[in-house]
Amino acid sequence: MQGGAPGHRLRVLFVASELFPLAKTGGLGDACAALPASLERLGADVRAMLPGYVSALDAACDKRTVARLADGACLLLARTPDTGLPVYLLDWPELFRRPGGPYQDSGKQDWPDNLRRFASFCAVAAQVARSGDGSGWQPDLVHAHDWHTGLLPALLALHPGPRPASLFTIHNLAFQGNFPLDAARAQGLPEALLTPDGAEFYGQFSCLKAGIRYADRLTTVSPTYAREILTPAFGAGLDGLLRTRAGDLVGILNGIDTLLWNPAADASLPVRFDVDHLAGKQADKAALREELGLDPDADGPLVVGVNRLTHQKMADVILQALPALLDQGAQVALHGQGDPELEAALLAAAAGRAARCAVRIGYEEPLAHRLNGAADIALTPSRFEPCGLTTMYAMRYGALPVTRAVGGLADSVTDIATAHPDRACGTGFAFSDPTPEALADCLRRAGTLFRDPVAWRRCQRAAMQRDFGWEMSARRYLALYGDLVTPETQTRPRPGPISGDNGGRPPALRPAVRWSGAGRAAPDWAEAAD
Ligand code: ADP
Ligand code: GLC
């Protein structure tokens, strides 16, 4: 990919809080791993940037320090172990080297200093974006993801000097990164950001709003969700702002990593299979039933749910519908974690029904693969769903989804009832009302088709053969990047300090980047104060 000046490979700084296998709490980590790898294959020069969580420091290869920062922090350049993607890790021990998850401690409490953690991450990313990494690599464009990086487009936009273009992708509007305004003020963020025209949001400071308000362009992860979030029902309070930016917003459906999620080469499966050799899937089903202690001779469908156990994923509705689903003769296996009350209630509901229902709390990637390999049906309903990778994984493994026609699910699943018989066959079953009754009715419909093996096999083939690869979507991102990056945005004089309406003072975040190499010394925020 050539961007701007002739012979120049477009340079993209891809900034996110998750990137599998370095860090993952859900689909964000999957998407932020597969998209840049695909962009690289198409010729872009992409470098990711991630907080230096313990898991990321452990998993990354070829780490070397490229910059030293204040407080014993430093910027590392490394590679991902699987695709070899270059990735900067902000190794700031005080902020990121701790046990627990990226956002919460092991007791599932949000880290109290999350604003400082992600504001600092964005501040360093902004500096790399504007000044390069000290070794001559400097991006033409910054692609930031979700609330954790929402401040980054704002810091770039409020800076008076030249800067790279910015694109902000919304993976989930429900996670907003809202904090008390005073906390934002205490971080020394520019005053302009603390106003309703900035990132103030119902009396709080919203990192997600900052990204939406200040990025040059916006994307979200499916066309239907892009339309839905312009409405109060799906806009999570941000639909008004999003409507003002509707002309800058596009929905691009995520792909999946078809190498990682490939039943024909999946090392996690007891027996591999493909669309023309489905006997392996039967063997995987038998193995999983044994593993989970489910009745090996049941003749109903094996219904599997691999999802966060949350309100978004209708785990409460699945819980209510469970007796009806089991009464239909289905076996149900659920795996995931989320709301502790729902986890406990689902475990209690499964107790005493061991032959027909298994609930495994937690998340293990190989088990997720085995469950998809074994499943006849994937239970993936959502109240709202920006994209829904789980549903695509299931289809690729020949598990037909029982799901709800919202967001990316509406874009990726063709209901068997609405599929045109002459063109494509349906790939799943979708319902509308978010109720236990509608869910049970939908599963009944699936159960009826399941008893017609020829028709079932036809739909399975259609689901497995659907192209869920990243390439088409990655090309759309490249086209967007191309629109944003012009020869003008590629001239990069020495940047000045971050400003904004802050009395001329720089923010107190002060990552104080000092390049360790012999290259030029980029100004840091502390210097800018002098
Ligand atoms: P979301 O990102 O909203 O959870 P997706 O369906 O897009 O939904 O992606 C879910 C991804 O996270 C899949 O890779 C799935 O296997 C994985 N996953 C499911 N449940 C959990 C969990 N409790 N913890 C971590 N990852 C999970
Ligand atoms: C979010 C969304 C999910 C999407 C994923 C990757 O976690 O909830 O729908 O697939 O991001 O974009």
Side-chain angles (χ1 to χ4, degrees), residues 48 88 96 124 252 256 274 311 342 363 385 404 418 433 440 486:
Y88 294 106
F96 299 117
V124 176
I252 301 178
I256 62 172
D274 62 39
H311 184 258
L342 286 170
Y363 182 73
E385 195 58 67
R404 209 166 150 247
T418 57
D433 293 343
T486 61

Side-chain angles (χ1 to χ4, degrees), residues 289 294-300 331:
R289 279 169 154 173
L294 293 168
D295 176 2
D297 301 318
D299 56 6
Q331 280 180 328

Side-chain angles (χ1 to χ4, degrees), residues 90 312 510 514 525:
L90 175 57
Q312 176 188 345
R510 298 193 182 178
R514 287 186 199 93
W525 290 11

Side-chain angles (χ1 to χ4, degrees), residues 243-257:
R243 283 194 295 278
T244 69
R245 301 227 50 197
D248 295 321
L249 168 70
V250 299
I252 301 178
L253 192 67
N254 283 335
I256 62 172
D257 184 332

Side-chain angles (χ1 to χ4, degrees), residues 24-28 30 172 261 306-308 312-313 335-337 362-363 365 368 385 388-391 393:
K24 163 172 167 174
T25 69
L28 175 69
D30 288 354
N172 195 335
W261 294 91
V306 183
N307 245 330
R308 289 185 286 116
Q312 176 188 345
K313 307 291 181 180
H335 177 47
Q337 60 198 357
Y363 182 73
E365 195 83 9
E385 195 58 67
L389 298 175
T390 299
T391 305
Y393 299 149

Side-chain angles (χ1 to χ4, degrees), residues 12 14 19 28-42 44 46 83 85 143 145 167 169 171 219 221 252-257 470-478 481:
V12 182
F14 195 97
L19 191 155
L28 175 69
D30 288 354
C32 289
L35 172 57
S38 188
L39 292 166
E40 279 254 306
R41 280 196 292 276
L42 294 172
V46 187
T83 58
L85 181 81
H143 188 170
H145 300 264
L167 176 65
T169 294
H171 292 260
T219 66
V221 289
I252 301 178
L253 192 67
N254 283 335
I256 62 172
D257 184 332
W470 260 108
E471 185 173 331
M472 214 159 59
S473 300
R475 286 192 190 283
R476 295 200 57 201
Y477 277 104
L478 281 181
Y481 293 171

Side-chain angles (χ1 to χ4, degrees), residues 338-495:
D339 182 335
E341 279 175 24
L342 286 170
E343 289 175 359
L346 284 164
L347 281 173
R353 294 161 159 157
R356 289 187 298 152
C357 183
V359 173
R360 294 288 179 275
I361 300 301
Y363 182 73
E364 289 169 37
E365 195 83 9
L367 178 57
H369 285 244
R370 290 199 298 283
L371 284 159
N372 277 312
D376 299 304
I377 292 171
L379 205 51
T380 66
S382 292
R383 286 196 164 79
F384 62 91
E385 195 58 67
C387 173
L389 298 175
T390 299
T391 305
M392 296 185 192
Y393 299 149
M395 285 190 271
R396 186 145 162 83
Y397 281 65
L400 301 188
V402 163
T403 194
R404 209 166 150 247
V406 285
L409 301 171
D411 296 331
S412 57
V413 178
T414 309
D415 190 291
I416 272 135
T418 57
H420 193 291
D422 297 334
R423 280 181 284 128
C425 180
T427 60
F429 310 84
F431 61 97
S432 300
D433 293 343
T435 61
E437 294 75 26
L439 169 57
D441 281 351
C442 193
L443 186 69
R444 197 164 296 116
R445 217 153 51 79
T448 304
L449 195 81
F450 184 73
R451 285 188 290 278
D452 177 348
V454 175
W456 186 263
R457 180 63 59 92
R458 205 172 58 232
C459 298
Q460 248 183 340
R461 288 182 70 89
M464 293 178 80
Q465 286 177 323
R466 203 174 150 160
D467 180 8
F468 288 120
W470 260 108
E471 185 173 331
M472 214 159 59
S473 300
R475 286 192 190 283
R476 295 200 57 201
Y477 277 104
L478 281 181
L480 250 184
Y481 293 171
D483 280 358
L484 284 168
V485 175
T486 61
E488 291 72 49
T489 62
Q490 291 185 303
T491 53
R492 310 179 196 93
R494 190 176 189 273

